[in-house]
Amino acid sequence: MLAVEGLEVAYGDLQVVWGVSFEVPESSIVAILGSNGAGKTTTLMSLVGLVPSLAGEVTFRGESLAGLPPHKLVERGMVMIPEERATFATMTVEDNLELGAYTKRARSGSAETLREVYDIFPRLAERKTQRAGTLSGGERQMLAIGKALMSRPELLILDEPSLGLAPIVVENTFDVIEQINQRGVSVLMVEQHVELSLELAHYVYILELGRIVAEGTSSELARDPRVKEAYLSL
């Protein structure tokens, strides 16, 4: 579905991503793991056209994404949730959700999609008239995911979905990601929470200092001595 080949990204004279290549197959969950400063968020920002790349090629369903602005990617079915979660604090929960269905491909079925989102997140249905700025951190994450689902994505990209959440909320968020994938949506996520990510993802890439240093299925990397020592504290 998504193929990235030789991606390189810099901020001015400082290069932070070096020759990164990975794939997201259809109906899969792929995780890019690594510590702070590894280049995970920059990689995602470059994929969706928010940060220009120095080199490399990104294709979605066999078509190049070169030069396409972010809103065109959403129209094609590729949606990113940034780590800031990007909800509108002064708008109600339901207004935020309806705003997610702004593309032509999403508007025609928006009422049905809204019902599906409320089915996944009953808490949002309970709070649909509440202003988004009054929600808890976990509820804002639900809203951000729900708003992205309103655009009817084929590929959902998540930047640090566990950031700032209580442990029980993190587990619930990962359960929701799995449920979304089971509904046919492919998922690409970057995350620092290695243990839970290895349980959830089908395939994993390890990013260190802007370079892919390991990759494999979750079970393979869970047995990798380097991963155990560096990321699982074993």
Side-chain angles (χ1 to χ4, degrees):
M1 175 177 276
L2 179 74
V4 179
E5 186 66 37
L7 184 68
E8 304 201 349
V9 186
Y11 295 105
D13 294 332
L14 179 63
Q15 186 163 344
V16 293
V17 175
W18 303 77
V20 165
S21 300
F22 61 89
E23 294 181 349
V24 181
E26 191 86 34
S27 302
S28 67
I29 301 176
V30 172
I32 300 176
L33 308 180
S35 58
N36 272 336
K40 304 186 303 297
T41 294
T42 297
T43 297
L44 294 191
M45 298 281 275
S46 183
L47 292 185
V48 299
L50 293 174
V51 175
S53 60
L54 294 176
E57 183 178 19
V58 180
T59 58
F60 182 62
R61 296 201 177 283
E63 297 184 5
S64 174
L65 301 183
L68 289 180
H71 69 277
K72 290 293 184 183
L73 303 185
V74 176
E75 291 175 2
R76 293 188 178 202
M78 183 172 159
V79 180
M80 176 178 166
I81 303 173
E83 68 177 46
E84 303 87 17
R85 295 170 188 147
T87 57
F88 296 93
T90 60
M91 295 172 61
T92 67
V93 166
E94 188 150 286
D95 285 343
N96 267 274
L97 292 173
E98 290 176 345
L99 190 62
Y102 74 90
T103 64
K104 183 178 180 180
R105 71 192 297 270
R107 283 196 301 270
S108 60
S110 61
E112 179 185 351
T113 308
L114 184 61
R115 287 193 294 270
E116 292 175 359
V117 169
Y118 284 152
D119 181 52
I120 296 171
F121 299 113
R123 185 72 61 85
L124 295 184
E126 296 170 4
R127 287 161 169 67
K128 63 183 179 181
T129 60
Q130 189 171 324
R131 293 185 184 274
T134 65
L135 299 176
S136 69
E139 290 167 343
R140 287 197 300 274
Q141 182 65 286
M142 294 177 196
L143 181 56
I145 296 173
K147 184 157 69 73
L149 293 177
M150 288 295 296
S151 65
R152 302 195 71 85
E154 297 176 13
L155 173 62
L156 183 63
I157 302 174
L158 297 149
D159 188 6
E160 302 281 8
S162 72
L163 186 68
L165 301 181
I168 185 62
V169 180
V170 171
E171 292 186 13
N172 290 339
T173 300
F174 276 54
D175 288 342
V176 165
I177 293 170
E178 184 174 29
Q179 183 180 350
I180 291 168
N181 176 249
Q182 290 171 348
R183 291 176 178 236
V185 179
S186 300
V187 175
L188 171 64
M189 56 186 285
V190 304
E191 183 56 66
Q192 293 185 61
H193 203 306
V194 173
E195 190 168 355
L196 278 179
S197 299
L198 287 175
E199 293 176 5
L200 175 68
H202 304 134
Y203 202 84
V204 176
Y205 296 86
I206 304 292
L207 193 65
E208 286 184 6
L209 300 177
R211 292 177 169 88
I212 299 290
V213 297
E215 65 175 276
T217 65
S218 296
S219 59
E220 289 170 345
L221 289 189
R223 296 192 302 267
D224 188 316
R226 296 171 300 169
V227 174
K228 286 183 177 182
E229 182 178 359
Y231 297 102
L232 298 178
S233 299
L234 299 175

